[in-house]
Amino acid sequence: MTTYVAMLRGINVGGNNMIKMEALRALVTGLGHAEVATYIQSGNVIFQSQAGAPARVIGGIEAGINETFGMAIAVILRTREQLAGVVRDNPFLTRGTDPATLHVIFLNEAPDPARLARLDPPQVAPDECRVVGTEIYARYPNGYGRSKMTNTFFEGRLGVRGTARNWKTVTKLLELAGG
């Protein structure tokens, strides 16, 4: 069995796209996944599966949410091993950066290199980011809520879907996944 962490984009934020975690756990369990757990209300699901290809797992959860709750919600999926790599490879940790200022934006696919070359993050200083494969490591010294470097910023410039998690949530998700 593979241990997965599914991160749902844009649920339970500002009173929009409300899904109770008990209902989300029931949905994921009903899809045939095991050991289903959720973490906080922002749509983080940890589970085990033998469902095969990640695209199949994502498609099943997205379709289940649409059918059950009537919402088109993007699901970003990582295996426990991939999430361990995200934690291990954070480029800001080697500089002694305060972890409370760190976030990871998980992308549904690697961005096109031409779009990535035009990202031009210095325009949003003092915030900074590093794109590594399907993750964007971001540092927000004045807080995420004050930054222009948001999901919308990255999705618009890179043409991919993403969902952000603060560093505390990222490390807790890895812990819950058994990493």
Side-chain angles (χ1 to χ4, degrees), residues 7-141:
M7 294 164 279
L8 283 62
R9 186 192 188 286
I11 70 161
N12 300 343
V13 178
N16 297 313
N17 296 329
M18 300 302 291
I19 299 176
K20 292 189 180 294
M21 293 301 98
E22 305 84 53
L24 182 59
R25 285 191 300 273
L27 181 140
V28 174
T29 300
L31 292 171
H33 306 300
E35 303 295 324
V36 179
T38 54
Y39 176 66
I40 64 176
Q41 296 295 315
S42 60
N44 303 292
V45 187
I46 303 98
F47 60 94
Q48 294 183 353
S49 181
Q50 292 181 338
R56 183 176 173 187
V57 175
I58 292 167
I61 296 171
E62 288 178 344
I65 290 170
N66 196 7
E67 292 168 13
T68 305
F69 305 109
M71 300 175 203
I73 300 293
V75 174
I76 311 293
L77 192 70
R78 297 294 186 268
T79 65
R80 175 183 52 218
E81 292 76 18
Q82 289 169 324
L83 193 58
V86 169
V87 170
R88 179 190 64 238
D89 297 338
N90 189 325
F92 294 113
L93 291 178
T94 60
R95 299 187 339 197
T97 302
D98 178 5
T101 67
L102 301 178
H103 282 67
V104 177
I105 296 112
F106 295 89
L107 304 175
N108 66 338
E109 62 183 288
D112 176 85
R115 291 184 89 149
L116 185 57
R118 294 188 307 266
L119 181 61
D120 201 16
Q123 294 179 354
V124 294
D127 301 333
E128 40 179 343
C129 69
R130 302 285 182 278
V131 181
V132 180
T134 56
E135 275 72 44
I136 301 170
Y137 295 93
R139 186 178 77 85
Y140 301 102

